[in-house]
Amino acid sequence: MKTAYTLLTLALAATLGLTGCCKKKACNDASQQQPAPVAETTADDPSVISFTMADMDGNMVDVKQVFAKSRITIVDFWASWCGPCRNEMPVLVELYSQYHDKGLGILGVSLDEDRQQWADATKQMGITWPQVSDLQGWDNAAAVKYGVRGIPFAVIVDSEGKILKAGLRGDELKAFVAETLAK
């Protein structure tokens, strides 16, 4: 009985780890469980991400300025209350440590509603890259703009904010970053 319970628990954890956290109405429909592809971008170029949002100190950050500092940037949509996001964070911490000097940037876009929980989570998990949020949860303006329906969700952009890839996690994300920065 204990073995069956353990296997069920592991299966559930693996499923949650693969699907991530999603909006309630999106979770109810199996076809909606994965985040949508980035659907809306700038009016000038539909393949470019652009928005301005506050950092933890309330300073407005134009993400295009963040992108310009790196060869590629991972835009990481996440939240402190999302277990799969927290499980994915060591991958991002490792990538940032290994590739930051080679041109990798990361920008966290938090879907938190509580500034203190967001700040505490970044400290606990060793997040040292820029973070922004409007503290509107699932109504986060950037997440809504880009059709994010589940987190964690990563969008990789070049130095101008042009979308290179979206939806990668874990080993796939590591491989894409390594390959892209090796060029």
Side-chain angles (χ1 to χ4, degrees):
M1 181 68 169
K2 186 176 180 182
T3 303
Y5 176 76
T6 303
L7 290 175
L8 180 61
T9 303
L10 289 173
L12 179 60
T15 301
L16 289 175
L18 294 173
T19 60
C21 298
C22 57
K23 289 174 117 173
K24 264 192 183 200
K25 63 183 176 184
C27 285
N28 292 335
D29 177 355
S31 69
Q32 300 294 314
Q33 288 184 359
Q34 292 300 318
V38 176
E40 182 183 333
T41 51
T42 66
D44 297 333
D45 184 344
S47 66
V48 175
I49 288 186
S50 178
F51 60 91
T52 301
M53 193 168 282
D55 65 12
M56 278 190 205
D57 297 322
N59 302 312
M60 295 308 289
V61 175
D62 179 346
V63 299
K64 290 186 93 174
Q65 291 178 355
V66 175
F67 302 156
K69 295 176 184 178
S70 302
R71 287 180 53 204
I72 62 171
T73 300
I74 299 169
V75 182
D76 176 41
F77 290 91
W78 76 288
S80 66
W81 45 261
C82 170
C85 297
R86 292 178 80 100
N87 290 340
E88 182 74 4
M89 205 55 71
V91 171
L92 294 174
V93 170
E94 177 187 336
L95 280 171
Y96 193 71
S97 174
Q98 185 175 0
Y99 291 103
H100 179 65
D101 291 342
K102 296 174 182 161
L104 175 66
I106 301 178
L107 174 69
V109 181
S110 173
L111 274 61
D112 277 282
E113 294 179 357
D114 183 296
R115 184 179 307 278
Q116 192 60 52
Q117 286 179 337
W118 173 34
D120 290 348
T122 60
K123 287 177 190 161
Q124 290 168 355
M125 294 185 290
I127 298 171
T128 58
W129 51 86
Q131 294 284 314
V132 297
S133 182
D134 58 12
L135 299 174
Q136 298 300 308
W138 284 109
D139 294 324
N140 175 286
V144 169
K145 182 176 182 179
Y146 297 107
V148 175
R149 295 181 293 196
I151 53 176
F153 187 66
V155 180
I156 301 96
V157 299
D158 68 10
S159 62
E160 296 178 356
K162 183 173 181 178
I163 299 166
L164 303 174
K165 202 78 160 164
L168 299 179
R169 288 169 61 181
D171 290 340
E172 289 179 329
L173 180 61
K174 287 179 184 179
F176 182 81
V177 168
E179 180 182 320
T180 303
L181 292 177
K183 295 178 185 176

